[in-house]
Amino acid sequence: MTGSIPAELSAQITAFVARLRTRHGFLVGAGEASDALRAAAVVDVLSKRQLRDALRAVLIARPEQARIFDHEFNTFFRAEDRPTPPELPPLLPETDAPGTEQETETAPSKPQEGEEQAPASTPPGPGEEPELTTVQAQPQGEAKEDPDDLGDDFQTLQTRLSPNAGVGGEVRSENGELRELLRAAAALIRAVELGRSRRLKSLARGPKLDARRTLRAAARTAGDPALLRWLGRPRRAPHFLLVLDGSRSMGRDATLLLRFAQALSLRTRRVEVYVFSTGLRRLTPYLRQAHPGQALALPDLGEAWGGGTRIGENLLQLARQERERVTRDTVVIILSDGLDTGEPAVLERALRDLKARAGRMVWLSPLAALPGYQPVQRAIQAALPHLDALLPAGGLEDLHHLGRRLKQRN
Amino acid sequence: MTSAADLTDPAALQTAFRAQGYVAGEALATALRLVPALQKPLLLEGPAGVGKTEAAKTLASALGTRLIRLQCYEGLDAQAALYEWNYARQLLYLRSAEISGGRVDDAELYGERFLMARPLLQAIQQDVAPVLLIDEIDRADDAFEAFLLELLAEWQITVPELGTITARTRPHTILTSNRSRELSDALRRRCLYHWVEYPTARQELEIVQARLPGIDAVLARQVTDAVHALRQLPLGKPPGVAETLDWAAALLTLHRDHLDAASIEATLGAVLKLREDQLLAAPTLRGVAGRAEAG
């Protein structure tokens, strides 16, 4: 049962490890391959289940990898008379150069869906249009005419994020913009003050005696603790939970805010990013793996992008999903225009849940950047009692000032 | 008491665990068997209340070795986890040496007599490999996680005043996490990994019967079925195995042999700990009570 394993199986295991690494980006190298062989030697290799369980314990590091592992294992170690299971796509699909996504395999199969997308998504509720009239002109009309916003048939959002395919005539340098956004992100991180950490650190003054350093000093004065040293509590580092409204009404603001979320992810690891439209989607892994020098490419976000708006339901789902991760170190930033068709009571409950656990609740609205803006939308009205700040997010300028504005409210 | 050598037998660990009232699935049993075999730590992740901590405790019992537990919390630092000097005794020693006219050098002042070993140092000083449980590592901060990397890789620590202390035996290490914070890739790479899921209804029934031997078979099945129905709901705090056991124990205390609306109402606090969850689950529980009473 235990001991050495057949050379053929060793070779297979080594190849299997390499496949997980190259095809699915598992962080497994020679060390893990060696551990996998040792693990195989511990279990009964004639029992496929035992071999699978042992290799899984060695080779995966996250729950989401388990499905890929099991599929690849079944493909690799299948009996010869069993048919090959269909290929599993890689975790992150390779993306084409900008503008080439229509040539992908899926494009011809769903051309008509792009046209049908608007009716397929949640139709705007009766509350949406009247709310629009309460504020001054905003780029809603532009967004609706944008053909890019109609289609979910693209493999990536690359064209949406490309400044050349944007809805307006403005063309910005993407790299230059990223630099600006990184600066804004760094300013935001610096500006957030959540209070003090529980971890004690040697500081010039603090609430607790640093016995170790005091004793060191006392040893030089014959045991007389003449020089007292102190332990203090440093500032708590913030964790950000960004929730981006990717619905159609957000227009091109959504792409700017998405890039801001990417910039924040590049500046700190303590970021979780979600996007929602009628459905909710976690973006953190995609943003974390995005190459800063290239345009941001994301897979098809389905219901989470470009459709109607269900702020309340999605925030409620998020509040449950992230319940354990939202702590008093978390700054929840909701980026939305607040044009919602859902029930304000649901939104209120979601925000109450989040507020009870989070350190700060901030709502950024592109509409709030418009002169004469009044927060009269039903969603904003429901949200206001639970927010620490409602701030404008009309463009780069506002994002630059975000840190300063938050600091003023600390 | 089982010896570690017995655990190379695939069924032995599951049997040993079952004898302790812990029903471990095959995958978890395999992962646990690899801990001593590969001498690598095992990271157990999963929802709260699925038995991650209990798995480590049971492993210690099954191996017949000591359990050393480090409970992680925000602000935990290396000193609290490794060692501390007994400063009060050191100061007294310094003062008394001064009064008696003696001299105290550093080697004396920082000798082992003044050293207070905390869990991690205790774990590497054992002659027989203990089970080291680093519980809720996600609650500790990044700095502590980074510190832990070195220990888990080298199994040695450096006390500046004493030098490097190498582990006599490598502890069988279990780390648990509720995923309240994303752990670093570096830590994950140093560990074996297993995601602990809620037990199946049949496994949970076995757990209830193993832990509460006097329980009525019908009641045990009704309780586990009801808990499984509750876990399908979008609850803020879904019931874990501990809640199932608490609920069953509460019903036993009230001398109930089956579930009905009155007994559910009287004991609901043992299984659902949030008011919103109790309201959300009310229709489901009414259905459970109705089915129980009907059949």
mmCIF file of all heavy atoms in Angstrom, chain A residues 1-5 40-46 50, chain B residues 7-11 33:
data_model
loop_
_atom_site.group_PDB
_atom_site.id
_atom_site.type_symbol
_atom_site.label_atom_id
_atom_site.label_comp_id
_atom_site.label_asym_id
_atom_site.label_seq_id
_atom_site.Cartn_x
_atom_site.Cartn_y
_atom_site.Cartn_z
ATOM 1 N N MET A 1 0.809 -1.198 0.000
ATOM 2 C CA MET A 1 0.000 0.000 0.000
ATOM 3 C C MET A 1 0.856 1.268 0.000
ATOM 4 O O MET A 1 0.728 2.151 -0.806
ATOM 5 C CB MET A 1 -0.896 -0.010 1.223
ATOM 6 C CG MET A 1 -1.799 1.189 1.286
ATOM 7 S SD MET A 1 -2.558 1.287 2.897
ATOM 8 C CE MET A 1 -1.208 1.823 3.888
ATOM 9 N N THR A 2 1.800 1.329 0.932
ATOM 10 C CA THR A 2 2.636 2.517 0.982
ATOM 11 C C THR A 2 4.025 2.176 0.508
ATOM 12 O O THR A 2 4.340 1.049 0.227
ATOM 13 C CB THR A 2 2.702 3.059 2.420
ATOM 14 O OG1 THR A 2 3.246 2.036 3.234
ATOM 15 C CG2 THR A 2 1.342 3.443 2.931
ATOM 16 N N GLY A 3 4.858 3.211 0.440
ATOM 17 C CA GLY A 3 6.227 2.980 -0.009
ATOM 18 C C GLY A 3 6.408 3.579 -1.375
ATOM 19 O O GLY A 3 5.957 4.683 -1.643
ATOM 20 N N SER A 4 7.085 2.854 -2.274
ATOM 21 C CA SER A 4 7.357 3.423 -3.588
ATOM 22 C C SER A 4 6.129 3.258 -4.481
ATOM 23 O O SER A 4 5.277 2.405 -4.267
ATOM 24 C CB SER A 4 8.555 2.727 -4.197
ATOM 25 O OG SER A 4 8.260 1.366 -4.333
ATOM 26 N N ILE A 5 6.060 4.117 -5.489
ATOM 27 C CA ILE A 5 4.946 4.017 -6.428
ATOM 28 C C ILE A 5 5.508 3.720 -7.806
ATOM 29 O O ILE A 5 6.676 4.040 -8.090
ATOM 30 C CB ILE A 5 4.104 5.320 -6.440
ATOM 31 C CG1 ILE A 5 4.994 6.538 -6.716
ATOM 32 C CG2 ILE A 5 3.366 5.499 -5.160
ATOM 33 C CD1 ILE A 5 4.210 7.812 -6.907
ATOM 34 N N ALA A 40 1.231 10.305 -2.589
ATOM 35 C CA ALA A 40 0.741 9.120 -3.303
ATOM 36 C C ALA A 40 1.319 7.851 -2.685
ATOM 37 O O ALA A 40 0.672 6.795 -2.670
ATOM 38 C CB ALA A 40 1.098 9.214 -4.776
ATOM 39 N N ALA A 41 2.544 7.982 -2.164
ATOM 40 C CA ALA A 41 3.182 6.813 -1.560
ATOM 41 C C ALA A 41 2.552 6.444 -0.222
ATOM 42 O O ALA A 41 2.697 5.319 0.257
ATOM 43 C CB ALA A 41 4.679 7.081 -1.386
ATOM 44 N N VAL A 42 1.857 7.406 0.376
ATOM 45 C CA VAL A 42 1.244 7.143 1.685
ATOM 46 C C VAL A 42 -0.070 6.396 1.531
ATOM 47 O O VAL A 42 -0.418 5.554 2.353
ATOM 48 C CB VAL A 42 1.006 8.488 2.437
ATOM 49 C CG1 VAL A 42 0.196 8.271 3.697
ATOM 50 C CG2 VAL A 42 2.327 9.145 2.762
ATOM 51 N N VAL A 43 -0.815 6.718 0.462
ATOM 52 C CA VAL A 43 -2.149 6.136 0.317
ATOM 53 C C VAL A 43 -2.106 4.904 -0.583
ATOM 54 O O VAL A 43 -1.065 4.564 -1.162
ATOM 55 C CB VAL A 43 -3.145 7.169 -0.263
ATOM 56 C CG1 VAL A 43 -3.297 8.337 0.673
ATOM 57 C CG2 VAL A 43 -2.719 7.619 -1.649
ATOM 58 N N ASP A 44 -3.244 4.262 -0.692
ATOM 59 C CA ASP A 44 -3.364 3.094 -1.550
ATOM 60 C C ASP A 44 -3.607 3.584 -2.982
ATOM 61 O O ASP A 44 -4.702 4.068 -3.295
ATOM 62 C CB ASP A 44 -4.540 2.250 -1.062
ATOM 63 C CG ASP A 44 -4.765 1.033 -1.940
ATOM 64 O OD1 ASP A 44 -3.958 0.808 -2.861
ATOM 65 O OD2 ASP A 44 -5.754 0.315 -1.692
ATOM 66 N N VAL A 45 -2.596 3.497 -3.825
ATOM 67 C CA VAL A 45 -2.731 4.075 -5.171
ATOM 68 C C VAL A 45 -3.720 3.289 -6.034
ATOM 69 O O VAL A 45 -4.111 3.740 -7.099
ATOM 70 C CB VAL A 45 -1.371 4.187 -5.899
ATOM 71 C CG1 VAL A 45 -0.492 5.226 -5.244
ATOM 72 C CG2 VAL A 45 -0.680 2.851 -5.991
ATOM 73 N N LEU A 46 -4.089 2.096 -5.578
ATOM 74 C CA LEU A 46 -5.090 1.346 -6.341
ATOM 75 C C LEU A 46 -6.496 1.898 -6.088
ATOM 76 O O LEU A 46 -7.425 1.611 -6.822
ATOM 77 C CB LEU A 46 -5.031 -0.140 -5.971
ATOM 78 C CG LEU A 46 -3.701 -0.810 -6.320
ATOM 79 C CD1 LEU A 46 -3.722 -2.273 -5.888
ATOM 80 C CD2 LEU A 46 -3.413 -0.714 -7.810
ATOM 81 N N GLN A 50 -8.750 7.525 -2.915
ATOM 82 C CA GLN A 50 -7.693 7.900 -1.958
ATOM 83 C C GLN A 50 -6.602 8.718 -2.638
ATOM 84 O O GLN A 50 -6.108 9.687 -2.083
ATOM 85 C CB GLN A 50 -7.082 6.640 -1.346
ATOM 86 C CG GLN A 50 -7.851 6.131 -0.153
ATOM 87 C CD GLN A 50 -7.064 5.106 0.639
ATOM 88 O OE1 GLN A 50 -5.847 5.216 0.765
ATOM 89 N NE2 GLN A 50 -7.739 4.120 1.165
ATOM 90 N N LEU B 7 -2.105 4.778 12.380
ATOM 91 C CA LEU B 7 -2.851 5.638 11.472
ATOM 92 C C LEU B 7 -2.405 5.524 10.015
ATOM 93 O O LEU B 7 -2.953 6.193 9.152
ATOM 94 C CB LEU B 7 -2.759 7.090 11.935
ATOM 95 C CG LEU B 7 -3.355 7.322 13.315
ATOM 96 C CD1 LEU B 7 -3.184 8.745 13.742
ATOM 97 C CD2 LEU B 7 -4.817 6.937 13.338
ATOM 98 N N THR B 8 -1.404 4.711 9.731
ATOM 99 C CA THR B 8 -1.048 4.491 8.330
ATOM 100 C C THR B 8 -2.098 3.615 7.652
ATOM 101 O O THR B 8 -2.191 3.585 6.440
ATOM 102 C CB THR B 8 0.335 3.805 8.208
ATOM 103 O OG1 THR B 8 0.305 2.641 9.014
ATOM 104 C CG2 THR B 8 1.439 4.733 8.653
ATOM 105 N N ASP B 9 -2.900 2.958 8.448
ATOM 106 C CA ASP B 9 -3.990 2.157 7.901
ATOM 107 C C ASP B 9 -5.146 3.110 7.547
ATOM 108 O O ASP B 9 -5.588 3.882 8.386
ATOM 109 C CB ASP B 9 -4.422 1.142 8.978
ATOM 110 C CG ASP B 9 -5.626 0.317 8.523
ATOM 111 O OD1 ASP B 9 -6.008 0.479 7.353
ATOM 112 O OD2 ASP B 9 -6.142 -0.446 9.337
ATOM 113 N N PRO B 10 -5.622 3.062 6.290
ATOM 114 C CA PRO B 10 -6.624 4.059 5.856
ATOM 115 C C PRO B 10 -7.854 4.114 6.749
ATOM 116 O O PRO B 10 -8.349 5.196 7.045
ATOM 117 C CB PRO B 10 -7.015 3.595 4.460
ATOM 118 C CG PRO B 10 -5.981 2.647 4.020
ATOM 119 C CD PRO B 10 -5.288 2.121 5.230
ATOM 120 N N ALA B 11 -8.326 2.976 7.170
ATOM 121 C CA ALA B 11 -9.569 2.979 7.950
ATOM 122 C C ALA B 11 -9.321 3.324 9.408
ATOM 123 O O ALA B 11 -10.251 3.721 10.123
ATOM 124 C CB ALA B 11 -10.233 1.615 7.844
ATOM 125 N N ARG B 33 -4.199 12.199 7.541
ATOM 126 C CA ARG B 33 -3.145 11.172 7.532
ATOM 127 C C ARG B 33 -1.861 11.711 6.919
ATOM 128 O O ARG B 33 -0.754 11.280 7.245
ATOM 129 C CB ARG B 33 -3.614 9.952 6.727
ATOM 130 C CG ARG B 33 -4.572 9.072 7.490
ATOM 131 C CD ARG B 33 -5.053 7.967 6.598
ATOM 132 N NE ARG B 33 -3.965 7.165 6.085
ATOM 133 C CZ ARG B 33 -3.927 6.619 4.872
ATOM 134 N NH1 ARG B 33 -4.925 6.794 4.038
ATOM 135 N NH2 ARG B 33 -2.905 5.887 4.499
#
